[in-house]
């Protein structure tokens, strides 16, 4: 199935990399709520594969699989975002956690613990941990939004003040360094969990076995780690946004 120029055809690329789409979909499913349908992920992933094929340049050679995997994964995450399956009430709760983390870090000069955050939110520790667990999957997407190199990132979509040039915020080396430092400042268990999750590519069950905790506890630790990073990143971005508005008024 090659064309007249001897190049591989689009149909053959689709057939060759369809198993890659399924593999990525099932890998993501291990990190998402049961309400998410794997067929939806695969459908979105195939759209990403077709997009990768259309953008593909012959000179990329063996790099195509890596490029295609990025487009496929991005298309799946975009589909999850568009479905907006996280309740608005839970979104508001997580914004409250981000604010509480920022305030307590300034007050204590250190990273607040779970009980301290629960107290600040006027919740029991059990209710706080339950809220963290209910956000399974959403925090995966939130973290990807901070670090991915897609055409449009979370900051571009949500910090729309032109004076602050949000499209350049994530490109700012100081902000990238803040993300790295934020990971380093995480409590040891959360930092280990993030390393196993994103660097070693283990699923929640496997991480639980390594850390000697339940899968649900890993989910809680993951959500809390990501919300800590979001509080640090968006707190910084918010300060830049405010300063830009003030400079624009001067």
């Amino acid at each position: 199935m090659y064309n007249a120029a001897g190049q591989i055809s689009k149909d053959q690329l689709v057939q060759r990399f369809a198993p890659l789409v399924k593999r990525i979909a099932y890998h993501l499913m291990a990190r998402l709520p049961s309400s998410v349908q794997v067929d939806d992920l695969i459908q979105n992933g195939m759209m990403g594969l077709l997009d990768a094929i259309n953008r593909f340049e012959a000179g990329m050679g063996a790099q195509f699989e890596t490029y295609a995997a990025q487009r496929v994964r991005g298309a799946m995450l975009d589909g999850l975002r568009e479905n907006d399956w996280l309740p608005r009430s839970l979104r508001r709760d997580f914004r409250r956690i981000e604010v509480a983390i920022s305030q307590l870090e300034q007050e204590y000069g250190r990273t607040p613990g779970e009980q301290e955050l629960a107290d600040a939110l006027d919740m029991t520790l059990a209710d706080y941990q339950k809220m963290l667990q209910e956000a399974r999957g959403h925090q995966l997407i939130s973290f990807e939004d901070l670090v991915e190199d897609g055409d449009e990132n979370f900051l571009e979509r949500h910090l729309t003040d032109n004076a602050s040039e949000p499209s350049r915020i994530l490109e700012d080396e100081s902000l990238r360094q803040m993300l790295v430092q934020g990971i380093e400042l995480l409590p040891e268990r959360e930092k280990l969990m993030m390393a196993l999750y994103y660097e070693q590519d283990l699923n929640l069950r496997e991480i639980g076995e390594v850390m000697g905790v339940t899968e649900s506890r890993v989910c809680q630790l993951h959500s809390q780690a990501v919300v800590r990073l979001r509080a640090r990143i968006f707190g910084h971005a918010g300060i830049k946004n405010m300063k830009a508005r003030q400079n624009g008024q001067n």
Side-chain angles (χ1 to χ4, degrees):
M1 297 178 66
Y2 290 81
N3 59 26
Q7 297 175 331
I8 192 169
S9 69
K10 290 184 178 181
D11 287 342
Q12 187 166 5
L13 283 172
V14 169
Q15 293 178 13
R16 178 181 297 182
F17 291 101
L20 173 68
V21 175
K22 291 185 178 180
R23 186 164 66 248
I24 294 174
Y26 280 101
H27 186 71
L28 276 180
M29 277 299 298
R31 306 177 176 189
L32 295 168
S34 58
S35 58
V36 178
Q37 300 296 315
V38 69
D39 288 344
D40 292 337
L41 291 179
I42 292 174
Q43 181 178 356
N44 288 326
M46 290 302 295
M47 296 297 293
L49 176 60
L50 290 172
D51 181 57
I53 292 172
N54 289 332
R55 293 170 181 253
F56 174 67
E57 297 179 4
M60 293 176 64
Q63 297 178 352
F64 177 74
E65 182 171 355
T66 299
Y67 175 70
Q70 292 174 344
R71 303 300 302 187
V72 166
R73 183 180 176 86
M76 291 179 182
L77 291 172
D78 284 343
L80 289 169
R81 294 185 189 103
E82 290 173 3
N83 288 336
D84 198 23
W85 40 265
L86 191 76
R88 290 187 178 182
S89 60
L90 197 54
R91 291 185 187 277
R92 289 195 297 268
D93 287 339
F94 270 88
R95 284 297 303 148
R96 289 175 58 211
I97 296 177
E98 291 175 21
V99 172
I101 288 174
S102 297
Q103 292 176 341
L104 292 181
E105 283 185 346
Q106 292 181 10
E107 181 179 347
Y108 298 156
R110 59 173 174 79
T111 300
E114 284 181 289
Q115 185 63 63
E116 291 170 327
L117 286 168
D119 292 342
L121 295 168
D122 196 24
M123 303 173 67
T124 66
L125 179 59
D127 286 342
Y128 174 71
Q129 292 177 338
K130 179 181 179 181
M131 183 171 65
L132 291 175
Q133 188 172 345
E134 288 176 347
R136 175 176 177 171
H138 169 69
Q139 295 304 335
L140 165 69
I141 296 174
S142 294
F143 186 75
E144 295 283 350
D145 275 324
L146 293 177
V147 300
E148 69 179 1
D149 294 321
D151 294 333
E152 184 182 50
N153 57 58
F154 187 93
L155 294 176
E156 287 180 295
R157 290 196 298 273
H158 293 275
L159 297 181
T160 55
D161 186 345
N162 293 332
S164 66
E165 297 186 65
S167 63
R168 298 182 182 178
I169 292 178
L170 199 57
E171 299 172 357
D172 186 344
E173 183 61 27
S174 66
L175 193 57
R176 292 181 182 274
Q177 287 299 318
M178 181 167 288
L179 178 59
V180 173
Q181 293 169 4
I183 293 174
E184 286 298 316
L185 291 173
L186 289 174
E188 287 302 318
R189 286 167 65 80
E190 293 176 28
K191 184 160 60 175
L192 172 61
M193 181 276 307
M194 294 291 276
L196 294 172
Y197 199 38
Y198 290 100
E199 295 178 12
Q200 301 300 319
D201 216 19
L202 300 185
N203 60 39
L204 299 181
R205 179 185 57 78
E206 293 168 334
I207 294 173
E209 292 175 355
V210 172
M211 298 182 65
V213 298
T214 64
E215 183 176 337
S216 61
R217 180 56 180 158
V218 175
C219 181
Q220 294 169 4
L221 291 173
H222 178 256
S223 292
Q224 183 161 267
V226 173
V227 80
R228 289 189 199 277
L229 294 174
R230 284 173 55 85
R232 181 172 295 273
I233 293 297
F234 288 108
H236 176 75
I239 291 173
K240 292 187 68 174
N241 205 20
M242 179 181 66
K243 288 182 177 179
R245 287 197 299 268
Q246 291 174 342
N247 292 335
Q249 295 173 355
N250 294 334

